[in-house]
Amino acid sequence: AGLRALRRLCGLALFLSQLCILSGRAGSLMTTKHSQPQSTFAKSITSTSTNTPYFKAAESTEIPPYVTKCPSNGLCSRLPPDCMTCNTNYSCIYGKPATFDCKVKPHVHCVDENNHEQENFTINMTCQFCWQLATTDYVCTNSTNCMTVSCPRQRYNATCTVRDHIHCLGNRVFPKMLYCNWTGGYKWSTALALSITLGGFGADRFYLGQWREGLGKLFSFGGLGIWTLIDVLLIGVGYVGPADGSLYI
């Protein structure tokens, strides 16, 4: 009897253990089924973020404007200053020739004396700043708003640009105070000839654009000759000029 009871207990324990194993498998299956959509959703999110097309910024292929000034396959030492970048030689002596190390800018192609393409080269130029150049080495803007015939002579603010074939230190575009030197097309010889021949009728003043003075000379017969003589002297020495303030040509 005791042996039978023991067998029954062992069978019951085995049944319970199998029942526990089955319930555990069922729970794991349920967990897997519930977690599978979540993992699939997470995977879809990851896949979406990874496969998002990346728009890379297009590389600029625009040619810089200075390239139009740079002759292709020419001598590097004869390139315009806008086509190269040079290191400042701080040891140079003002007014003396000096050597500068230069490098061509991107998209610029040049060669040496042996027709070999190169990027680094040296140039020789005078050690001086651009604003110290001679007046023939740069071009400045003109002003038509100032009087050329005045005492003291008027100046105006001009913007000057160095010519392409000139090398210098510093900025190639710089401001400078210049004397008023523009002209309206009036000739000094014509004004003097009119003053001598028809000055008594105010022809010289009319020619220079001074209408009120011309009418005064016309109706006073040249100030009875005195005004005519004075104008001949004043126009002859250049003291009386065009009414617009320009210079004679």
Side-chain angles (χ1 to χ4, degrees):
L3 183 59
R4 290 180 180 178
L6 182 60
R7 287 180 178 177
R8 290 180 180 177
L9 290 175
C10 291
L12 181 60
L14 180 60
F15 175 76
L16 292 176
S17 63
Q18 291 179 354
L19 183 61
C20 291
I21 292 173
L22 292 175
S23 62
R25 289 182 178 178
S28 63
L29 290 175
M30 293 295 293
T31 304
T32 304
K33 290 181 179 179
H34 286 290
S35 62
Q36 184 176 1
Q38 182 177 1
S39 62
T40 304
F41 179 72
K43 184 177 180 180
S44 65
I45 293 178
T46 307
S47 175
T48 303
S49 61
T50 307
N51 297 332
T52 301
Y54 175 69
F55 296 97
K56 184 178 180 180
E59 296 182 358
S60 177
T61 58
E62 183 179 358
I63 299 178
Y66 60 78
V67 176
T68 57
K69 300 181 180 180
C70 308
S72 179
N73 296 326
L75 288 176
C76 295
S77 58
R78 295 185 179 179
L79 286 175
D82 292 337
C83 305
M84 65 182 73
T85 303
C86 300
N87 296 327
T88 304
N89 186 356
Y90 294 100
S91 61
C92 66
I93 301 175
Y94 172 73
K96 301 292 183 180
T99 302
F100 294 83
D101 296 326
C102 301
K103 181 179 180 181
V104 294
K105 291 183 177 180
H107 303 284
V108 178
H109 303 280
C110 63
V111 297
D112 57 7
E113 289 77 5
N114 298 324
N115 203 25
H116 295 156
E117 187 173 355
Q118 63 176 171
E119 294 183 357
N120 301 312
F121 56 96
T122 59
I123 62 171
N124 297 320
M125 67 178 182
T126 305
C127 181
Q128 60 182 346
F129 287 96
C130 295
W131 58 270
Q132 296 172 322
L133 292 172
T135 55
T136 56
D137 294 335
Y138 53 84
V139 179
C140 300
T141 57
N142 291 326
S143 175
T144 57
N145 297 324
C146 59
M147 300 291 290
T148 59
V149 182
S150 62
C151 187
R153 192 175 176 186
Q154 290 186 7
R155 294 173 178 259
Y156 70 98
N157 292 320
T159 301
C160 302
T161 304
V162 181
R163 299 184 184 274
D164 290 339
H165 65 282
I166 302 296
H167 293 273
C168 56
L169 301 176
N171 296 326
R172 299 184 61 81
V173 179
F174 54 91
K176 199 164 188 178
M177 291 288 295
L178 299 178
Y179 286 109
C180 298
N181 60 351
W182 66 284
T183 178
Y186 296 95
K187 292 184 178 181
W188 172 82
S189 58
T190 303
L192 182 61
L194 291 175
S195 181
I196 294 174
T197 58
L198 300 175
F201 301 99
D204 51 353
R205 294 283 183 166
F206 285 125
Y207 172 72
L208 295 176
Q210 302 175 5
W211 297 96
R212 288 178 295 183
E213 292 81 354
L215 291 174
K217 290 182 69 175
L218 176 62
F219 291 111
S220 65
F221 300 101
L224 299 179
I226 298 176
W227 194 350
T228 302
L229 294 176
I230 294 176
D231 274 357
V232 171
L233 295 176
L234 294 180
I235 294 176
V237 299
Y239 184 80
V240 174
D244 58 4
S246 62
L247 292 174
Y248 289 114
I249 59 174

